[in-house]
C-alpha cells in the first residue's frame, strides 16, 4: 500500500509538500486560477478547453456545429437562469419570455432597422435587464411555487404580446432576421470569417461567436458569484429571512438576480434569432421554459459549469436521441402507422426516450451532472481513501 | 450497496461522455461537396449531386409524427409514401430509371428542431417533398432561399404562391372563402341582403379566411356583419356563439380545425343557433360521422374544398388514387390529408421528371425545371395549377362544395362541383 | 408579411341573456378546471410536489373511458368508473416507482421528474391509441334543457355535478375518515406524523390514487359531447395552474373556487373584450386568468385559501 501510494504520488499534485492546494488567504481562496504548479489539472482543463474551442469548428461538419452553437445559446441562457434559481433560489419558469424579448429586439432593431450587431446585441441584453428588473419586484412578494406559476403566466403574456403587437413582431407569422447585419469591425459572421487566406462558413464563425460569448458570460457570472453580491444571493437562497435579519437587502438582490438573468436570456434570444434567421411567437412558449429549467436541474443547480454541461446534455442529448433513434436497435418499436408493426412513431419514441432519460438521470443523480462530476473528482483525489 | 450505486453512477458518467463523443461524428468533409457540374447537356443522364447518387433520388420530408398535429402529419406522410411506392414499383422510378427514396424526419412541430433536421438533411436530398406547418415553413423559408433548395409546403396558405423555392398546390384558403361565399349568396340559399359573418382562429390561418371573405363581400357589396375569433383549443364557445347569434348571422364562414369545429358547432347546436355554416377544408374530419353532432351537421354545414367526391371515378386521377391507396396503404382509411400527401408527391414527381429530362438534378437544376413547367395536372382531383416563373403562377380558382352524408366515404357527398366565382380570378397573390 | 386586415365591424350589443348564459358556461368550464386543479391540489397537499404529469393523467383518463365504453362496449358509467380505477392505479404506480425515491430532494428536481413523466405518458397514450380524433360516446351528447331561462347542456350539468360530488367526497374524506385525517397530519408535518405512527408511504400513495381518479373524471368531462377526444385534450390542464395558485396550493376547496373563478373570468373576457377592449388584442381570454391570479396574489400571496407559511428565522 505504501509503495503504491509513493508511486502514484506524482499523480496527486495537490498533495505534494505541506498541502500546496490549501488556500492560506482570502484572496487566494477566491482566485479562479492559482498558479499552474498548485492546480495543474485545472490549468490543463482551461488550456485544453480553449484549444478545443478554437479547433473544433475546423473538425466538425456544419450540422454538428449548428447543434453545438444552439447548445451554446442555451448554455448562455442557462447560466442566467442558474444565477436566478441556483444561486438566489427563485424558481422561474418565465425565462422563455426574456429569450423572446431578446430575439424580437434583434429582429426589430437589427433586421428592420439595420443597426450594427454590437449595438443590437447590447440593446437586447439591456432590454432584458430592464424588463427583468421590472418583473423582479413580484418575487419580493411571492415565494416558491407561487412564484413558479406567476412566471409561467409571464410566458403566456409574452406569447399574447408577440402574437398581437404586429408592427414590431410581425404577429402570428413571425419575423425574419435575414437582413440583420452580423459584422463586428472587419469580421463578418454571416458570410463567414476570412482570416488570412482561410474562409470559414457561417456555422463555424457563429460557433466561435456564441462560445466566445458563453465564455465571457460564464466569467462574468463566476465573478458575480464569488463576490459579495454572490454571497448575498446565496444567503437569500438558503434562508432568506435570516439573511434579511443580518442586513442583506432582499429587494436589491432578488430584483438584481432577475435583472441579470433576464439580460443573459435576452442575449441568448438575440443569438438564437440570428442562428435561426426567423422567429415566431410559438417558439417562446412553455416548452422552451421547461427546457431551460431541465438544463439547470440536470446540470446541477448552483454551479456555473453545471449550467453549461446541462445545456450540452439536454439539447445535445436530445439531438443525439433524434439522430440515433432510427437505428436498428429501435426498429421493432417504430411504426409508420400505415400497416407496419410497432408501437411508436419516431417522434413519439424521441419524446419518450427524452422523458425517460430525464427521469432516470434524476433518479440516479438528483443533484445533477455537476454533483456527479464532483463525486468523481473527489473519488480520484481521495484515492485510495475514496470510500 | 454503496459500491453498486457508485458503479451505476460511473456508468452514467461514461455514458454521458460517450454521448458527447459520438455527437462529434465524422470529420469535416471539406466543402464544395456540392460539385456543381450537374448542368449536363439536355437529355444526358443527370450528374451526381447532393441527394442523387446516380441511381436513387432522395427526397426530404419534415413532418410532426407526435403531438397534436400528428393527426395531419401521419396521413400526409402515408400519402407521400404510397405514391412513391407506386412510382418505384410500377413505373420503375422517375423517368423509369431512378427510384425515389423518402428521408423522413420528425419535426415535433417545433421550429428549432425542424431547422436542425433541415440542416442535417439539406446536403443529402434533391428537394423536400413535404414540410408541414406554417411556422415551420416560415422558419425554413430563409434557409431554403439561401441554399436554393425547393420544398413543397403542405398547407394552402397564400404566402407560398410567389415564393421561388416553394411548390404549393391547391386553391389557397382565400379562394375557398371567395368561392364559398359567392356560391351561397347566388345559389346556395343566400341573397344580397343576407347577414354574413365569420368565426375564425386567431392566427394567420384564420386571417387568411378573413381576407377571402372580405374580398368576396366587397365584390358582392355586402358588409361583414360580425367577426368572432377564438384561440385554438378553446374550451367553451358560448361567447363566440352568443356574439354571432346577437348579430343575427344567417351564414357563418368557419376557419378552424376539427376539434374547434366540434366545440363551436356543438355549442351552437346546444344553444339552438342554426345558421348555415360553410367550413374551409381543414375544418372537417371523418370522426364527425359518429359524433352526436351528425344530425346538426347534416342540416347546417357545408364543406368547401376541391375536386370530385371521393370515389367518383369519372376523374382519372381519383380512380388511380383509390387504386394506389388500396394497394400500397391498405390500412389507411379515406382521408383528405392522405389525398393531399399523394397529390403533393405527384407535383414533385412532375418536377423531377422535368429535371431529369433537362439532365440536371442539382438544386439549381430543380429550380429551372420548376420554372419551366407550364401547368401541374392532377387528373381532376385538385384543380390544375398554372405554373411558370413565380410571378406567373396562377393557383386553381374553383372549389367544390360538399354536404355531410354519413354513407359516403369520409362522410362527405358532393353538392356542387368546381364552382368559380366570377371575381375569383381577380384576387391577387 | 403582415397583410392589411379589414376593420372589425360594429358588434351587436350584449344582452342580459348573454350575460346569464356566459355565467353558466363560465361555471361549467370552471368546474372542468376545478376537477383538474383538485388533482394537483391533493398531491401537493400530501407531498408538497406540483405534479406536472397531472395533464397526462387527465389525458389517460379520457382515453381509458373511451376504451372501456366504446372499444369494449361497456356501459358508459361503468367505463368511467373503470377509468377512474385505472387512473388511481397509474397514480399509485408512479408514486411507488418514481416519486418515492425522490423524497427529500429539492422541489425543482421533483418537478423536473414529473415533467419527464409528462413527456413519456403523453406519447405512450398517443402511441397506444393513435393520433386521430375519437368520439367519447357519452350518453349526454349535445342535449340541453332549460333552467331559469338559460339553456343548459346536460354535459355541463353532469360536470358541475361531478365537481360537487368530488368536493363533498373530499370534505367527508378529510374530515371524517382516519386516512383523511392521517393525510392532513402528514401534510402538516410529516416527521411528527410518522412519529405518531402514521404511515407516510400510504398517505402519499392514497394521494396519488385520488389524483388519478379525479383526473379520469376531468378527462371524461373534457372530451364529452361534441368536443372530440384527441391528443390535445390534456392541454387544458395548463390553464388549471392559475386556478390552483389563486385558490391556494394546498387547499382543495381553494382549487375548486379557483377553477370556477378562472372559468368565469375566461368566459366573460371572451364575451366582453372584443366589444369593449379590442385594443388588447385577440384571444385575451388566454391571458386574463393569469392576470387575475397575479392580482389576487398581490393581495393574498398564498392564494385565497392557502395556508400562510410560517417562517422562522
Amino acid at each position: 500500500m505504501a509503495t503504491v501510494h509513493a508511486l502514484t504520488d506524482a499523480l496527486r499534485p495537490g498533495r505534494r509538500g505541506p498541502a500546496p492546494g490549501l488556500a492560506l488567504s482570502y484572496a487566494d481562496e477566491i482566485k479562479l486560477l492559482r498558479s499552474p504548479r498548485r492546480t495543474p489539472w485545472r490549468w490543463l482543463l482551461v488550456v485544453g478547453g480553449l484549444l478545443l474551442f478554437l479547433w473544433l469548428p475546423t473538425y466538425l461538419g456544419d450540422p454538428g456545429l449548428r447543434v453545438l452553437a444552439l447548445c451554446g445559446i442555451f448554455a448562455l441562457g442557462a447560466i442566467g437562469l442558474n444565477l436566478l434559481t441556483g444561486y438566489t433560489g427563485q424558481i422561474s419558469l418565465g425565462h422563455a419570455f426574456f429569450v423572446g424579448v431578446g430575439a424580437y429586439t434583434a429582429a426589430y432593431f437589427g433586421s428592420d432597422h439595420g443597426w450594427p450587431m454590437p449595438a443590437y446585441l447590447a440593446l437586447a441584453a439591456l432590454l432584458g435587464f430592464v424588463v427583468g428588473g421590472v418583473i423582479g419586484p413580484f418575487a419580493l412578494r411571492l415565494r416558491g411555487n407561487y412564484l413558479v406559476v406567476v412566471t409561467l403566466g409571464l410566458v403566456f403574456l409574452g406569447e399574447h404580446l408577440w402574437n398581437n403587437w404586429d408592427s414590431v413582431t410581425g404577429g402570428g407569422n413571425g419575423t425574419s432576421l435575414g437582413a440583420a447585419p452580423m459584422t463586428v469591425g472587419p469580421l463578418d459572421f454571416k458570410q463567414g470569417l476570412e482570416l488570412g487566406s482561410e474562409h470559414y462558413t457561417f456555422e463555424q464563425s457563429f460557433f466561435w461567436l456564441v462560445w466566445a460569448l458563453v465564455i465571457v458570460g460564464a466569467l462574468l457570472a463566476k465573478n458575480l458569484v464569488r463576490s459579495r453580491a454572490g454571497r448575498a444571493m446565496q444567503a437569500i437562497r438558503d434562508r432568506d429571512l435570516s439573511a434579511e435579519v443580518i442586513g442583506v437587502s432582499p429587494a436589491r438582490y432578488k430584483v438584481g438576480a432577475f435583472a441579470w438573468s433576464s439580460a443573459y436570456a435576452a442575449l441568448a434570444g438575440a443569438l438564437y434569432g440570428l442562428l435561426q434567421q426567423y422567429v415566431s411567437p410559438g417558439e417562446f412558449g412553455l416548452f422552451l421554459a421547461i427546457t431551460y429549467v431541465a438544463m439547470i436541474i440536470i446540470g446541477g443547480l448552483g454551479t456555473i459549469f453545471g449550467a453549461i454541461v446541462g445545456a450540452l446534455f439536454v439539447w445535445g442529448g436530445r439531438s443525439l436521441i433524434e439522430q440515433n433513434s432510427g437505428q436498428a436497435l429501435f426498429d421493432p418499436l417504430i411504426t409508420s402507422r400505415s400497416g407496419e408493426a410497432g408501437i411508436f412513431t419516431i417522434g413519439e419514441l424521441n419524446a419518450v426516450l427524452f422523458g425517460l432519460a430525464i427521469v432516470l438521470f434524476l433518479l440516479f443523480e438528483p443533484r445533477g451532472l455537476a454533483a456527479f462530476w464532483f463525486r468523481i473528482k473527489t473519488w480520484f483525489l481521495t484515492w485510495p481513501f475514496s470510500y | 450497496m454503496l459500491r453498486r450505486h457508485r458503479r451505476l453512477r460511473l456508468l452514467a458518467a461514461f455514458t454521458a461522455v460517450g454521448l458527447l463523443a459520438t455527437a462529434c461524428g465524422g470529420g469535416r468533409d471539406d466543402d464544395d461537396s456540392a460539385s456543381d457540374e450537374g448542368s449536363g447537356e439536355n437529355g444526358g443522364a443527370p450528374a451526381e449531386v447532393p441527394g442523387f447518387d446516380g441511381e436513387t433520388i432522395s427526397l426530404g420530408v419534415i413532418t410532426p409524427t407526435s403531438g397534436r398535429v400528428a393527426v395531419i402529419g401521419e396521413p400526409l406522410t402515408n400519402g407521400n409514401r404510397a405514391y412513391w411506392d407506386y412510382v418505384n414499383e410500377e413505373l420503375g422510378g422517375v423517368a423509369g430509371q431512378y427510384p425515389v427514396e423518402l428521408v423522413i424526419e420528425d419535426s415535433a412541430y417545433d421550429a428549432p428542431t425542424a431547422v436542425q433536421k433541415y440542416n442535417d438533411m439539406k446536403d443529402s436530398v434533391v428537394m423536400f417533398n413535404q414540410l408541414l406547418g406554417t411556422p415551420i415553413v416560415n422558419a425554413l423559408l430563409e434557409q431554403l432561399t439561401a441554399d436554393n433548395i425547393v420544398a413543397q409546403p403542405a398547407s394552402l396558405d397564400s404566402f407560398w404562391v410567389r415564393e421561388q423555392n416553394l411548390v404549393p398546390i391547391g386553391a389557397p384558403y382565400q379562394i375557398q372563402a371567395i368561392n364559398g361565399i359567392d356560391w351561397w349568396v347566388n345559389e346556395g340559399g343566400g341573397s344580397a341582403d343576407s347577414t354574413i359573418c365569420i368565426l375564425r382562429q386567431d392566427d394567420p390561418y384564420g386571417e387568411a379566411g378573413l381576407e377571402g371573405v372580405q374580398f368576396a363581400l366587397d365584390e358582392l357589396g355586402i358588409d361583414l356583419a360580425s367577426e368572432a375569433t377564438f384561440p385554438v383549443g378553446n374550451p367553451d364557445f358560448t361567447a363566440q356563439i352568443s356574439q354571432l347569434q346577437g348579430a343575427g348571422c344567417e351564414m357563418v364562414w368557419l376557419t378552424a380545425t376539427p376539434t374547434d369545429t366540434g366545440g363551436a358547432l356543438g355549442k351552437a347546436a346546444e344553444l339552438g343557433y342554426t345558421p348555415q355554416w360553410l367550413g374551409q377544408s381543414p375544418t372537417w374530419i371523418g370522426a364527425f360521422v359518429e359524433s352526436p353532432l351528425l344530425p346538426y351537421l347534416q342540416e347546417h354545414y357545408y364543406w368547401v374544398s376541391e375536386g370530385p367526391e371521393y370515389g367518383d371515378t369519372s376523374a382519372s386521377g381519383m380512380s388511380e388514387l383509390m387504386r394506389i391507396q388500396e394497394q400500397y396503404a391498405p390500412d389507411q382509411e379515406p382521408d383528405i390529408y392522405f389525398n393531399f400527401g399523394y397529390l403533393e408527391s405527384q407535383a414533385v414527381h412532375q418536377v423531377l421528371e422535368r429535371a431529369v429530362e433537362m439532365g440536371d438534378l442539382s438544386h439549381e437544376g430543380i429550380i429551372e425545371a420548376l420554372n419551366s413547367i407550364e401547368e401541374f395536372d392532377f387528373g381532376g382531383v385538385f384543380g390544375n395549377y398554372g405554373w411558370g416563373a413565380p410571378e406567373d403562377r396562377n393557383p386553381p380558382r374553383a372549389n367544390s362544395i360538399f354536404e355531410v352524408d354519413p354513407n359516403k366515404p369520409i362522410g362527405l357527398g358532393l353538392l356542387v362541383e368546381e364552382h368559380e366565382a366570377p371575381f375569383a380570378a381577380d384576387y391577387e397573390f | 408579411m403582415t397583410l392589411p386586415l379589414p376593420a372589425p365591424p360594429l358588434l351587436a350589443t350584449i344582452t342580459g341573456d348573454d350575460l346569464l348564459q356566459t355565467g353558466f358556461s363560465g361555471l361549467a368550464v370552471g368546474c372542468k378546471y376545478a376537477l383538474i386543479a383538485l388533482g394537483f391540489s391533493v398531491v401537493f397537499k400530501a407531498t408538497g410536489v406540483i405534479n406536472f404529469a397531472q395533464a397526462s393523467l387527465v389525458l389517460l383518463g379520457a382515453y381509458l373511458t373511451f376504451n372501456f365504453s366504446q372499444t369494449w362496449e361497456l356501459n358508459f358509467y361503468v367505463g368511467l368508473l373503470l377509468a377512474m380505477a385505472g387512473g388511481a392505479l397509474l397514480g399509485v404506480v408512479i408514486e411507488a416507482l418514481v416519486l418515492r425515491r425522490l423524497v427529500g430532494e429539492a422541489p425543482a428536481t421533483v418537478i423536473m421528474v414529473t415533467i419527464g413523466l409528462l413527456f413519456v405518458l403523453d406519447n405512450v397514450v398517443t402511441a397506444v391509441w393513435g393520433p386521430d380524433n375519437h368520439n367519447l360516446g357519452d350518453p349526454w351528447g349535445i342535449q340541453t334543457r332549460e333552467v331559469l331561462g338559460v339553456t343548459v347542456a346536460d354535459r355541463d350539468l353532469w360536470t358541475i355535478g361531478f365537481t360537487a360530488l368530488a368536493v363533498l367526497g373530499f370534505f367527508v374524506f378529510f374530515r371524517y375518515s382516519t386516512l383523511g385525517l392521517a393525510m392532513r397530519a402528514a401534510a402538516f408535518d410529516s416527521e411528527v406524523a410518522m412519529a405518531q405512527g402514521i404511515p407516510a408511504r400510504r398517505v402519499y400513495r392514497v394521494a396519488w390514487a385520488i389524483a388519478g381518479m379525479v383526473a379520469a373524471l376531468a378527462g371524461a368531462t373534457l372530451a364529452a359531447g361534441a368536443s372530440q377526444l384527441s391528443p390535445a385534450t390534456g392541454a387544458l390542464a395548463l390553464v388549471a395552474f392559475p386556478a390552483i395558485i389563486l385558490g391556494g396550493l394546498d387547499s382543495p376547496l381553494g382549487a375548486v373556487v379557483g377553477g370556477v373563478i378562472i372559468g368565469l373570468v375566461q368566459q366573460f373576457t371572451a364575451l366582453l373584450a372584443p366589444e369593449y377592449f379590442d385594443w388588447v388584442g385577440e384571444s385575451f381570454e388566454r391571458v386574463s386568468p393569469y392576470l387575475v391570479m397575479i392580482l389576487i396574489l398581490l393581495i393574498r400571496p398564498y392564494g385565497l385559501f392557502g395556508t400562510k407559511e410560517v417562517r422562522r428565522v
Side-chain angles (χ1 to χ4, degrees):
Chain A
M1 184 52 84
T3 21
V4 176
H5 199 90
L7 284 171
T8 51
D9 206 33
L11 292 171
R12 282 172 279 123
R15 294 193 161 268
R16 200 174 296 141
L22 185 68
L24 294 170
S25 70
Y26 178 63
D28 222 16
E29 168 84 30
I30 63 172
K31 263 191 205 165
L32 279 178
L33 281 179
R34 294 175 227 161
S35 85
R37 272 207 67 197
R38 290 165 61 183
T39 56
W41 288 108
R42 194 175 275 203
W43 271 91
L44 205 67
L45 220 65
V46 168
V47 172
L50 275 171
L51 284 177
L52 188 71
F53 161 72
L54 289 172
W55 165 82
L56 202 60
T58 57
Y59 172 72
L60 274 187
D62 276 351
L65 283 176
R66 204 167 242 276
V67 173
L68 285 174
L70 202 49
C71 286
I73 291 173
F74 274 116
L76 200 57
I79 291 174
L81 188 59
N82 217 349
L83 280 177
L84 182 64
T85 303
Y87 287 102
T88 322
Q90 314 292 306
I91 309 181
S92 161
L93 268 179
H95 220 54
F97 170 63
F98 301 110
V99 175
V101 167
Y104 277 109
T105 309
Y108 187 65
F109 290 101
S111 191
D112 293 349
H113 289 265
W115 286 21
M117 181 160 91
Y120 65 73
L121 282 185
L123 183 66
L126 184 67
L127 269 179
F129 190 87
V130 167
V131 177
V134 165
I135 305 292
F138 283 93
L140 298 176
R141 187 107 171 109
L142 303 166
R143 303 171 50 72
N145 292 304
Y146 294 94
L147 184 62
V148 171
V149 181
V150 168
T151 51
L152 183 63
L154 201 60
V155 172
F156 290 111
L157 257 159
E159 268 191 300
H160 183 81
L161 189 67
W162 312 138
N163 264 311
N164 285 290
W165 198 6
D166 286 6
S167 53
V168 169
T169 66
N173 272 317
T175 177
S176 150
L177 278 101
M182 288 177 64
T183 54
V184 178
L187 305 168
D188 184 344
F189 289 96
K190 190 154 182 198
Q191 305 303 328
L193 295 178
E194 303 220 0
L195 302 172
S197 56
E198 283 289 314
H199 181 91
Y200 297 102
T201 65
F202 168 66
E203 279 82 3
Q204 289 172 305
S205 326
F206 200 73
F207 175 92
W208 277 318
L209 175 67
V210 167
W211 282 93
L213 284 172
V214 171
I215 291 173
V216 169
L219 272 173
L220 212 71
K222 191 77 181 167
N223 275 332
L224 183 67
V225 153
R226 66 194 175 120
S227 73
R228 188 158 176 254
R231 286 193 296 278
M233 283 156 62
Q234 291 174 68
I236 293 178
R237 173 193 65 195
D238 293 335
R239 269 207 129 78
D240 60 343
L241 206 52
S242 313
E244 200 174 340
V245 164
I246 62 169
V248 170
S249 155
R252 180 168 164 191
Y253 291 106
K254 281 187 184 177
V255 174
F258 257 103
W260 276 107
S261 85
S262 311
Y264 273 90
L267 186 61
L271 290 170
Y272 171 78
L274 290 176
L275 180 64
Q276 299 285 97
Q277 296 280 289
Y278 197 90
V279 289
S280 62
E283 295 171 34
F284 306 110
L286 184 63
F287 183 70
L288 188 68
I290 288 179
T291 308
Y292 272 112
V293 173
M295 284 174 181
I296 60 168
I297 290 180
I298 289 182
L301 281 174
T303 60
I304 301 293
F305 128 89
I308 301 178
V309 170
L312 282 168
F313 191 82
V314 171
W315 189 256
R318 186 166 171 247
S319 308
L320 260 173
I321 289 176
E322 284 169 6
Q323 277 174 15
N324 294 317
S325 63
Q327 285 180 9
L329 173 66
F330 293 113
D331 253 356
L333 285 174
I334 297 185
T335 174
S336 57
R337 289 230 177 79
S338 58
E340 279 175 44
I343 319 170
F344 300 102
T345 61
I346 295 184
E348 286 162 5
L349 186 64
N350 289 340
V352 167
L353 286 175
F354 183 59
L356 273 178
I358 293 180
V359 172
L360 288 173
F361 183 83
L362 287 175
L363 277 180
F364 283 124
E365 186 54 84
R367 291 190 304 155
L369 280 167
F372 189 57
W373 168 248
F374 287 134
R375 240 189 267 261
I376 293 182
K377 205 166 74 166
T378 323
W379 193 87
F380 279 111
L381 277 179
T382 59
W383 190 85
F385 303 107
S386 11
Y387 35 82
Chain B
M1 182 67 155
L2 277 167
R3 205 161 276 168
R4 187 166 54 109
H5 267 237
R6 211 184 302 133
R7 275 202 216 117
L8 275 167
R9 288 187 174 124
L10 274 172
L11 182 65
F14 287 126
T15 324
V17 173
L19 278 176
L20 277 171
T22 46
C24 316
R28 188 175 182 78
D29 38 28
D30 242 328
D31 305 305
D32 317 301
S33 48
S35 47
D36 277 23
E37 354 149 349
S39 47
E41 327 75 47
N42 269 14
E48 288 181 26
V49 286
F52 176 58
D53 60 359
E55 287 179 9
T56 320
I57 301 179
S58 291
L59 296 178
V61 169
I62 301 182
T63 183
T65 61
S66 65
R68 65 177 179 87
V69 195
V71 65
I72 299 178
E74 283 193 19
L76 260 178
T77 314
N78 289 341
N80 294 154
R81 256 193 278 255
Y83 183 81
W84 290 116
D85 282 345
Y86 148 73
V87 167
N88 288 344
E89 275 177 50
E90 291 183 29
L91 303 180
V94 175
Q97 320 179 263
Y98 307 114
V100 165
E101 184 198 351
L102 282 178
V103 181
I104 301 174
E105 290 285 357
D106 172 62
S107 71
Y109 208 68
D110 177 47
T113 312
V115 172
Q116 191 176 307
K117 293 293 165 62
Y118 166 82
N119 276 287
D120 288 343
M121 285 162 81
K122 69 179 177 189
D123 287 327
S124 52
V125 294
V126 158
M127 63 184 283
F128 283 88
N129 195 44
Q130 184 209 136
L131 295 177
L132 178 57
T134 305
I136 310 281
V137 178
N138 271 327
L140 285 176
L141 202 50
E142 302 282 331
Q143 321 258 355
L144 287 168
T145 320
D147 300 322
N148 221 11
I149 301 183
V150 174
Q152 208 292 325
S155 82
L156 297 173
D157 286 296
S158 63
F159 317 125
W160 317 143
V161 175
R162 300 276 169 231
E163 290 288 343
Q164 171 72 81
N165 294 80
L166 293 180
V167 191
I169 64 170
Y173 300 127
Q174 287 86 344
I175 301 290
Q176 287 183 353
I178 289 171
N179 289 327
I181 299 236
D182 178 72
W183 169 79
W184 186 77
V185 167
N186 292 317
E187 298 169 38
S191 72
D193 298 321
S194 301
T195 338
I196 298 180
C197 312
I198 180 173
L199 176 63
R200 66 173 184 90
Q201 264 173 228
D202 64 345
D203 66 358
Y205 163 49
E207 284 163 22
L210 180 65
E211 276 167 33
V213 166
Q214 199 63 57
F215 183 84
L217 290 180
D218 285 344
E219 293 282 336
L220 292 168
I222 305 176
D223 286 328
L224 182 67
S226 181
E227 175 195 353
T229 65
F230 61 88
V232 175
N234 194 29
D236 190 301
F237 281 85
T238 306
Q240 286 83 1
I241 300 295
S242 300
Q243 182 186 327
L244 296 170
Q245 222 172 359
C249 303
E250 293 164 294
M251 186 213 104
V252 183
W253 182 261
L254 180 65
T255 308
T257 51
T259 310
D260 293 323
T261 307
L265 270 62
K267 181 56 73 173
E270 285 169 13
L271 293 177
Y273 175 52
T274 54
Q276 177 63 56
W277 294 93
L278 265 87
Q280 311 230 206
S281 51
T283 54
W284 179 260
I285 200 167
F288 277 131
V289 166
E290 277 148 48
S291 151
L293 204 50
L294 181 64
Y296 182 86
L297 289 169
Q298 278 179 292
E299 289 207 23
H300 304 291
Y301 173 84
Y302 292 136
W303 185 62
V304 179
S305 181
E306 265 182 86
E309 188 176 287
Y310 186 90
D312 174 3
T313 46
S314 62
S316 63
M318 176 57 78
S319 48
E320 191 155 289
L321 192 160
M322 289 168 62
R323 179 186 72 81
I324 291 174
Q325 180 176 337
E326 257 161 81
Q327 191 162 348
Y328 296 100
D331 287 342
Q332 174 77 49
E333 301 269 326
D335 184 303
I336 50 184
Y337 295 110
F338 177 89
N339 296 359
F340 196 98
Y342 173 97
L343 292 167
E344 69 182 354
S345 303
Q346 215 175 23
V348 169
H349 187 192
Q350 293 178 42
V351 176
L352 289 176
E353 290 277 348
R354 179 60 61 93
V356 169
E357 236 177 86
M358 292 166 68
D360 184 2
L361 278 169
S362 71
H363 296 152
E364 290 71 30
I366 298 283
I367 300 246
E368 271 197 52
L370 184 66
N371 290 348
S372 73
I373 294 180
E374 280 180 15
E375 190 184 62
F376 277 115
D377 188 341
F378 296 108
V381 183
F382 257 24
N384 291 357
Y385 208 124
W387 208 256
E391 335 52 273
D392 300 328
R393 292 180 192 170
N394 188 23
R397 301 278 177 164
N399 288 102
S400 303
I401 323 269
F402 295 76
E403 60 181 356
V404 178
D405 184 343
N407 302 314
K408 300 273 171 77
I410 317 186
L412 296 162
L414 185 67
L415 194 62
V416 176
E417 178 144 19
E418 296 298 301
H419 173 91
E420 179 168 341
F423 42 83
D426 300 332
Y427 189 86
E428 291 193 9
F429 289 96
Chain C
M1 270 229 214
T2 44
L3 300 141
L5 290 177
L10 271 173
L11 300 166
T13 45
I14 294 171
T15 67
D17 258 353
D18 283 338
L19 288 173
L20 213 56
Q21 192 73 54
T22 310
F24 180 77
S25 70
L27 184 63
V29 172
C31 284
K32 290 182 188 161
Y33 294 144
L35 281 174
I36 301 175
L38 269 175
F40 279 112
S41 182
V42 161
V43 171
F44 186 82
K45 194 178 168 84
T47 66
V49 167
I50 291 191
N51 169 30
F52 271 75
Q54 188 73 13
S56 23
L57 288 174
V58 168
L59 187 68
L60 184 72
Y63 271 97
L64 280 177
T65 314
F66 164 73
N67 200 24
F68 293 136
S69 62
Q70 293 294 92
T71 320
W72 290 10
E73 292 183 15
L74 300 168
N75 173 278
F76 178 77
Y77 295 103
V78 172
L80 185 58
L81 282 171
L82 282 176
M84 284 169 71
L89 188 65
L90 184 65
V92 168
V93 164
I94 291 176
E95 198 281 330
L97 279 184
V98 178
L99 274 310
R100 189 163 63 82
R101 293 167 211 262
L102 292 169
V103 173
E105 292 298 340
T109 307
V110 186
I111 289 179
M112 204 60 236
V113 169
T114 59
I115 292 178
L117 284 172
L118 177 72
F119 283 138
V120 173
L121 284 172
D122 266 356
N123 286 285
V124 165
V125 167
T126 23
V128 172
W129 278 283
D132 311 307
N133 287 18
H134 296 284
N135 292 298
L136 194 65
D138 51 283
W140 313 315
I142 49 174
Q143 297 154 34
T144 58
R145 58 193 70 222
E146 288 282 318
V147 172
L148 301 174
V150 175
T151 316
V152 154
D154 274 4
R155 175 184 56 141
D156 289 338
L157 278 175
W158 276 93
T159 310
I160 297 175
F162 281 143
T163 313
L165 214 67
V167 171
L168 193 64
F170 272 56
F171 179 71
V172 167
F173 176 72
F174 280 113
R175 242 329 177 66
Y176 297 115
S177 81
T178 335
L179 201 52
L181 194 58
M183 278 179 74
R184 280 166 61 203
F188 198 67
D189 191 327
S190 55
E191 223 172 308
V192 172
M194 282 202 283
Q196 295 277 337
I198 291 173
R201 237 175 256 178
R202 194 185 302 171
V203 164
Y204 297 155
R205 243 160 247 184
V206 169
W208 275 86
I210 296 178
M213 282 198 310
V214 166
L217 214 55
T221 55
L222 277 176
S227 325
Q228 310 196 300
L229 177 64
S230 76
T233 302
L236 209 63
L238 271 182
V239 194
F241 278 117
I244 53 172
I245 290 290
L246 81 82
L249 267 173
D250 57 346
S251 162
L253 178 65
V256 173
V257 169
V260 171
I261 292 180
I262 295 293
L264 287 167
V265 164
Q266 256 199 346
Q267 290 306 301
F268 277 107
T269 315
L271 183 71
L272 299 170
E275 173 104 20
Y276 299 116
F277 306 108
D278 73 344
W279 49 267
V280 99
E282 288 164 3
S283 301
F284 192 61
E285 63 263 24
R286 255 203 290 224
V287 165
S288 52
Y290 285 93
L291 288 178
V292 169
M293 172 191 78
I294 291 175
L295 277 171
I296 292 188
L297 282 181
L298 286 177
I299 309 170
R300 292 180 65 94
Y302 292 100
L304 291 172
F305 297 98
T307 32
K308 228 178 152 166
E309 202 182 315
V310 173
R311 294 159 60 195
R312 298 200 165 82
V313 175

